[in-house]
Amino acid sequence: MIAQVLKESRVIVNVGSGGVGKTTVSAALALGAALQGKKSLVMTIDPARRLANALGIESAQFGSDRPFEVDASRFEALGLSCEGRFFAMMLNHKETFDRLVDRYAPTPEGAESLKENPWYKQMSTALAGAQDYMAVSRLHELVETGEFDLIILDTPPTANALDFLEAPERLIGMLNFQPLQWFQRKVTDDGSQAGRLLRWGSSSLLRAMGRVTGKEVIDDITQLLQELGGLYDGFRLHAEQTWKLLRAPDSRFFMVTAPQRASVLEALFFQRRLLEAKMPFEGFWVNRMPGYLRHEGDWRAATGQETSASVEEIRSALEALPSAVDTTEYNAKIAKELHSYYDFVRHNAELAEREVVFLQERALGKPFVGLLPLVNEEIHDLAGLARLSQLLLQDGVPASFEKKEADS
Amino acid sequence: MLEHLLSKQLIINMGKGGVGKSAISAMIARVAASQGKRVLVCEVNAKERMSQLLGGTPPEQDDSLEQIWTINERISAVNIQPAPAMKEYIVQVLHMRLLYNLVFENRVMRYFLRAVPGLQELIFIGKVWFHVEEDKHKGAPRFDLVILDAPATGHGLALLRIAKVVMDTVPAGPMRQAAEKIQKMLQDPKRTCINLVSLPEEMPTNETVELYHKLRDELKMPMGSLFLNQWPRHPLDPESPMHPMSKSGIEEAFDTLRVEAKQDPLLWPMALAADGGLHRLNKAREYLLELLKEVGLPTYTLPRFSQDDEHDLTQLTASLAKSWSQSKPLLASDIKDFERGEKSA
């Protein structure tokens, strides 16, 4: 199923709260597409340094807002045949914002003056929603170039999952609100009754706001807003195209989540929001499922074997081992702890599975739910990423050993 | 260590999203309350968590000025929201109710104020400042301790940075005056301390080191402790890892038999589970070591607990608070012992 999705899509957007491994899943999906012969790109916000290193991309290049190719020789070294090409890049919001200003400001002088406004710098980096707007803008730019078969966007971590959907419209709205147009028109005193009223209205409004923020701030902001106002048409057009792109038939949204109640509830909430916004929602990845891959590459064997051994049996088994330490006291203790830790691990796996069921029961429609294992090593090299890609291409790992038992 | 932390008027808990800042905030609030302090926990424009963590039912969202709700006799909470916070600032701090009613009730004006870069952050942190300073009766503070459960890294930093940005950008006026007062409070080591919350994993560790340098070197904020959540359980010896650096005898004994144990059909799944657990614990120790070296704040490790239907979160924070209040932090000076592998409980 995922192999098919990777074949058919042009854009995949991965959303989810922080700390669920969204970046790794995004990179592995892009790599999976490349292994299948596509020219793919993963766009990320703030990857772990080791992941950047793993992809063989210098951090200076990575921060430059441009795609960099993972060298084909790195695949050969791993014995992987990569039919396609694999690129990665890290977003740089300021550069994207600057480029948009250059592109949409009415004049080059206007663009320069805007970029020099002390509040502009604040805005392009700190303004709530600017990050999200920039991420989708950059995505749009890169899709426009037609250079890639598939682009995977790892969305910025947000305090509130809604930011990603609302922020761009908020940013656009800010550029288009009524009082701003008063400032832009610089109400002139044409002597008419209406003109005088309007002038009085806008200046008393400014005075009132000045009492809250201070007059200097109002002057600076007024200027900033005047200049930004010139960008409105361009920004709006750009945003509209971007949203059209996200809703296109060859775009897909995946929600990445962890098998914990808080994370699952957020994922469900966000699925509803995506559907309300008419975004093409494809499914969920539940990442870091415990109980799998306890031993690298060998989850099936590790979880398929059920043991109902008692502490006493385990102790005898330990003593029967040729090189077991010759301390019965230790063996007894180890036996007890092995037993109780195994129960603990199984209990955690069961809890996680319950969360998956909870998710499946409450998700709207019958979306895809793929499970990805909790691994001992965090993924930090191309080989690890390639292993995850293989799992992704198989739609994740099967459901639990408990379930398998019940089924068989 | 605990006394040092609880003697402050303002504690700010910072960290990446999903590392358990809210749980730590709730835990500190409980311990402070158990010592007789009146505590206010501030969340910022977030999905309210304190009712789950501390018990109680939050009030319906309304537009009234009083957004604070009482959890119990000593602990109150507030979820700072943009619009009510703005109103409070204008009416209570600037004493301009008429102005508010005339101009700011207007939806369009609210919009404008949201567009002023940084104003929202300034109002948020300004509200925190207001509660730290707030008097109930003359001279008697309403709260002994205010705990700010900061938003995730980027938004949290914006909150702590805004006062300085305003001071650098705005020469005079009410915004600047407010910023000066806020900055003074934030940088006063007698009144304020900033804790970091993280996990013993790769990304959170890197981000914590970066965050620490930004807070200490760039923003010159007084730093408190580091809380490492989700410390993995020791697979073989739940008694010994009270000290998260110790390598116990039982683990060494296991070392000698793990190879054979993995070939024994009976022991095999268990040996694998234990091996995986030991592996994770050793990784966690590496990150702890890195954090002690790079950050060096007094560090508390807190166990991972599963949040499920069977366990009430309120009970979990209560037991977490109890074990924390009796524990000792790890210090940078423990590194040597750790490297020799000799540190024990």
Side-chain angles (χ1 to χ4, degrees), chain B residues 247-259:
Chain B
K247 189 170 160 84
S248 69
I250 192 163
E251 189 181 323
E252 279 159 26
F254 179 71
D255 277 347
T256 65
L257 55 79
R258 58 161 33 117
V259 180

Side-chain angles (χ1 to χ4, degrees), chain B residues 10-207:
Chain B
L10 173 62
I11 291 177
I12 302 174
N13 295 323
M14 295 277 293
K16 191 173 154 67
V19 297
K21 285 183 297 293
S22 298
I24 296 297
S25 298
M27 183 187 84
I28 297 175
R30 267 182 196 277
V31 174
S34 73
Q35 300 192 357
K37 292 187 187 293
R38 284 157 304 166
V39 186
L40 175 71
V41 186
C42 300
E43 294 173 277
V44 178
N45 203 13
K47 211 170 102 196
E48 187 277 323
R49 298 283 314 279
M50 287 306 141
S51 54
Q52 250 192 328
L53 291 163
L54 290 165
T57 318
E60 292 285 307
Q61 282 293 325
D62 62 22
D63 210 20
S64 70
L65 273 182
E66 181 69 29
Q67 299 282 310
I68 293 177
W69 56 287
T70 307
I71 290 178
N72 61 41
E73 199 189 339
R74 297 221 176 88
I75 306 179
S76 305
V78 62
N79 188 4
I80 303 177
Q81 300 286 334
M86 178 71 76
K87 181 171 180 179
E88 189 174 70
Y89 176 72
I90 293 167
V91 175
Q92 287 192 341
V93 181
L94 300 178
H95 303 290
M96 295 193 264
R97 180 178 286 278
L98 189 64
L99 176 90
Y100 183 86
N101 292 343
L102 280 177
V103 182
F104 296 96
E105 282 288 308
N106 187 326
R107 199 177 54 85
V108 181
M109 290 319 303
R110 282 192 185 177
Y111 220 45
F112 175 84
L113 287 167
R114 269 168 78 180
V116 176
L119 183 60
Q120 185 165 303
E121 282 87 3
L122 192 69
I123 299 271
F124 285 161
I125 191 77
K127 183 167 164 64
V128 174
W129 169 82
F130 176 76
H131 290 308
V132 173
E133 298 271 303
E134 195 179 7
D135 284 351
K136 191 171 192 181
H137 304 291
K138 283 185 185 101
R142 184 174 176 194
F143 302 106
D144 301 308
L145 173 65
V146 174
I147 299 171
L148 172 60
D149 180 24
T153 311
H155 292 83
L157 267 176
L159 214 55
L160 296 193
R161 189 180 273 151
I162 190 60
K164 183 161 188 312
V165 170
V166 170
M167 285 166 68
D168 290 346
T169 330
V170 181
M175 236 173 122
R176 187 190 167 95
Q177 285 165 13
E180 280 172 358
K181 286 183 199 154
I182 292 165
Q183 187 69 356
K184 201 170 155 215
M185 169 190 75
L186 289 177
Q187 291 189 320
D188 183 350
K190 287 203 190 80
R191 306 178 67 193
T192 303
C193 98
I194 299 175
N195 297 323
L196 300 176
V197 184
S198 192
L199 304 178
E201 293 169 19
E202 161 118 10
M203 288 276 281
T205 298
N206 293 343
E207 205 169 293

Side-chain angles (χ1 to χ4, degrees), chain A residues 165 247 269-279:
Chain A
L165 288 179
R247 293 191 182 104
F269 172 70
F270 203 63
Q271 186 211 12
R272 198 171 315 133
R273 289 282 312 158
L274 282 172
L275 292 174
E276 278 166 16
K278 302 209 171 15
M279 297 293 169

Side-chain angles (χ1 to χ4, degrees), chain A residues 18-19 23 46-51 118-119 122-123 126-129 157-160 163 169-170 172-174 177-179 183 204-206 208-218 220-222 224-225 260-262 265-266 288 294-295 298 301-302 305-307 309 313-315 317-318 320-325 330-331 333-335 337-342 344-345 347-348 351 354-355 374-378 380, chain B residues 16-18 45 47 49 86 89-90 94-96 99 103-104 108-109 111-121 123 151-152 155 158 161-162 165-166 169-176 200-204 206-207 209-210 230 233-239 248-250 252-254 256-257 260-262 264-280 283 287 290 304 306-311:
Chain A
T23 305
D46 185 21
R49 261 175 285 148
R50 288 210 319 214
L51 183 63
W119 291 94
Q122 267 304 104
M123 203 189 82
L127 187 67
T158 48
N160 175 352
D163 282 355
E169 297 188 9
R170 214 159 55 212
I172 299 298
M174 188 199 93
F177 87 118
Q178 295 301 312
F183 303 143
S204 61
L205 202 57
L206 284 179
M209 289 188 296
R211 288 181 65 187
V212 177
T213 63
K215 186 181 171 307
E216 295 80 359
V217 178
I218 289 298
D220 278 353
I221 300 291
T222 307
L224 178 73
L225 290 179
Q260 277 133 27
R261 185 55 56 91
L265 285 173
E266 201 174 321
R288 302 195 180 143
R294 273 178 226 148
H295 190 240
D298 205 355
Q305 278 224 5
E306 188 54 89
T307 175
E313 283 171 314
I314 296 165
R315 199 172 67 87
L318 281 172
L321 289 176
S323 65
V325 274
Y330 260 151
N331 277 347
K333 198 160 184 229
I334 291 174
E337 297 312 337
L338 277 176
H339 194 268
S340 100
Y341 190 71
Y342 189 69
F344 168 80
V345 168
H347 177 64
N348 278 347
L351 288 178
R354 243 183 272 170
E355 293 308 322
L374 174 73
V375 287
N376 284 346
E377 281 282 351
E378 287 171 70
H380 57 85
Chain B
K16 191 173 154 67
N45 203 13
K47 211 170 102 196
R49 298 283 314 279
M86 178 71 76
Y89 176 72
I90 293 167
L94 300 178
H95 303 290
M96 295 193 264
L99 176 90
V103 182
F104 296 96
V108 181
M109 290 319 303
Y111 220 45
F112 175 84
L113 287 167
R114 269 168 78 180
V116 176
L119 183 60
Q120 185 165 303
E121 282 87 3
I123 299 271
H155 292 83
R161 189 180 273 151
I162 190 60
V165 170
V166 170
T169 330
V170 181
M175 236 173 122
R176 187 190 167 95
E201 293 169 19
E202 161 118 10
M203 288 276 281
N206 293 343
E207 205 169 293
V209 172
E210 218 172 284
Q230 300 190 16
R233 174 182 148 166
H234 193 302
L236 291 173
D237 195 357
E239 304 302 321
S248 69
I250 192 163
E252 279 159 26
F254 179 71
T256 65
L257 55 79
E260 287 88 354
K262 274 195 199 163
D264 185 290
L266 184 66
L267 293 174
W268 192 63
M270 299 187 175
L272 283 182
D275 240 13
L278 280 175
H279 185 86
R280 261 192 286 285
K283 290 304 275 186
Y287 294 121
E290 189 180 333
R304 165 174 230 135
S306 8
Q307 175 184 335
D308 56 55
D309 302 337
E310 290 159 40
H311 295 89

Side-chain angles (χ1 to χ4, degrees), chain A residues 237-248:
Chain A
L237 184 72
H238 192 80
E240 277 169 8
Q241 291 169 340
T242 304
W243 289 106
K244 219 165 109 191
L245 168 75
L246 292 180
R247 293 191 182 104

Side-chain angles (χ1 to χ4, degrees), chain A residues 79-194:
Chain A
L80 286 169
S81 73
C82 183
E83 309 271 308
R85 295 170 70 187
F86 178 35
F87 291 74
M89 67 165 277
M90 190 171 105
L91 285 161
N92 181 321
H93 311 108
K94 177 118 186 5
E95 287 199 14
T96 305
F97 209 126
D98 286 354
R99 265 204 309 281
L100 284 177
V101 167
D102 288 338
R103 182 161 160 188
Y104 291 118
T107 61
E109 295 76 33
E112 285 315 308
S113 141
L114 182 56
K115 284 192 274 183
E116 274 157 33
N117 189 307
W119 291 94
Y120 169 80
K121 237 202 253 166
Q122 267 304 104
M123 203 189 82
S124 60
T125 53
L127 187 67
Q131 272 207 357
D132 301 279
Y133 182 81
M134 290 310 113
V136 279
S137 292
R138 189 75 179 111
L139 172 69
H140 181 254
E141 277 183 348
L142 287 162
V143 170
E144 263 186 336
T145 67
E147 254 186 73
F148 300 97
D149 302 326
L150 172 66
I151 302 181
I152 296 186
L153 174 67
D154 168 32
T155 57
T158 48
N160 175 352
L162 292 178
D163 282 355
F164 178 71
L165 288 179
E166 287 176 353
E169 297 188 9
R170 214 159 55 212
L171 194 69
I172 299 298
M174 188 199 93
L175 298 177
N176 181 39
F177 87 118
Q178 295 301 312
L180 180 58
Q181 319 217 322
W182 299 352
F183 303 143
Q184 282 165 357
R185 283 187 208 117
K186 294 215 173 153
V187 182
T188 48
D189 189 359
D190 60 2
S192 75
Q193 198 73 15

